[in-house]
Amino acid sequence: MKRDTEIIRDLLLWLLDDPRSSGPAPFGASSNVPFPAEGEADLSGEFWDPFESEAFAIAEAPGLLSPGSNPHPVSLGEIPAVQDHFQALIKRRLRLEIERRPPLFPWEHEVQDYPEWLTKDAVAPLWIEHLRTLKLPTLPDDVMTALLERCQALASQPLKTGVRLVKAVEELFPEQPQTLENVARLVLTPAYRSGRTELPTLDYSAANTQQQVALTMLAAQEIFSALSLPLSPQAPTVQRQWTTPLGLLTLTATYLPGGNGRIQIQAVLPQAGYLQLADSQAERSQPGELVTILEAPISGQIYPLTVGLLEPQEEPLQFSLLWLDEQNS
């Protein structure tokens, strides 16, 4: 078994070894990075390392690498300061080795650059799972995510249905205004007039632009419906359920007559969260029921209703609440 002094000596020899040597690198990767020529010292470049010059000074200490040359060899174990410096030297050299010869994954033969999207969170947002339960065309997750965000932003705006559909998908199809308008008219045509009995089963990636616009508009139409809570004297209660990986979110909106009337929103949350309607907000620190009240709702006005969960830190989900009295219903 090697003595401590022999192990230290071997480590120092490795530290002083030329990184350009053809011997195996610690991580098995090759490097094409140029190094200064023999005898040259590039003090300003990235390859100059002040620790290396100190390594030579330590290694050339009498008796360290050549014990026979000194009747009293240096014992590093008896010099704590030298030990600390030696450990720092090893860490620095290992870091330089990793930078010069980056480690490879098992499937790699050389260092590769990967596209930026691989570094992003590959998990679909919290609210996307529910959309997979609806009768929607099959869309890529990134398209569905962008569509949901856009529909939430537009749900509380007083827009005509056709305009709303166009605005929901126009960012996905820039410079296609005429196509968007034409497809919107087709999507809004009642099924009994268009002959459409079910949603298309086209592969989105293989569809042409007009087909992709139609698929996204049909999806947007269903998302707007899922985000809408319309109330009237004839339909004083409406409920929406939203499936999440954490459990089921249930919203119930009820019109309560008397005086100027009021609307009660009851939410059953799968996690700690909050509920916000107009100037009223309710919050709870655990799963369960939340209630908030909207006093004297104005007929025809759209009220944004925000539901958020405290964990995980996702963007909240925004619904739209609409009250229509008898004169406007």
Side-chain angles (χ1 to χ4, degrees), residues 95-115:
R95 183 178 65 78
L96 291 175
E97 286 287 347
I98 292 173
E99 291 177 355
R100 293 169 179 169
R101 302 181 180 91
L104 301 178
F105 289 108
W107 60 83
E108 292 181 322
H109 298 290
E110 59 184 8
V111 177
Q112 301 179 25
D113 291 327
Y114 292 92

Side-chain angles (χ1 to χ4, degrees), residues 141 172 228:
D141 278 350
L172 297 172
S228 176

Side-chain angles (χ1 to χ4, degrees), residues 139 142-148 150 166-176 180 204 209 212-213 215-217 220:
L139 303 178
D142 57 342
V143 174
M144 194 71 80
T145 300
L147 201 57
L148 177 60
R150 190 66 179 149
V166 169
K167 287 185 173 295
V169 305
E170 63 184 0
E171 292 185 359
L172 297 172
F173 304 97
E175 301 179 2
Q176 297 282 343
L180 295 180
Y204 183 86
T209 300
Q212 288 183 344
V213 171
L215 292 173
T216 52
M217 281 192 178

Side-chain angles (χ1 to χ4, degrees), residues 8 91 96 98 136 156 189 211 215-216 227 237 258 273 280 321:
I8 293 173
K91 291 178 182 178
L96 291 175
I98 292 173
L136 301 182
S156 298
T189 301
Q211 291 169 335
L215 292 173
T216 52
L227 294 172
T237 299
S280 175
L321 176 66

Side-chain angles (χ1 to χ4, degrees), residues 21-41:
S21 64
S22 59
F27 296 94
S30 61
S31 174
N32 296 322
V33 180
F35 291 92
E38 291 291 342
E40 295 181 1

Side-chain angles (χ1 to χ4, degrees), residues 227-286:
L227 294 172
S228 176
L229 296 167
L231 291 175
S232 69
Q234 294 77 26
T237 299
V238 63
Q239 186 179 85
R240 293 286 183 265
Q241 292 184 325
W242 202 279
T243 304
T244 78
L246 303 174
L248 189 64
L249 165 67
T250 302
L251 282 178
T252 304
T254 305
Y255 176 72
L256 304 175
N260 293 325
R262 57 180 181 161
I263 295 176
Q264 173 183 284
I265 303 294
Q266 179 192 52
V268 180
L269 305 181
Q271 279 282 14
Y274 61 92
L275 186 65
Q276 183 172 356
L277 176 62
D279 296 329
S280 175
Q281 178 167 328
E283 182 176 323
R284 63 180 294 126
S285 59
Q286 56 187 355

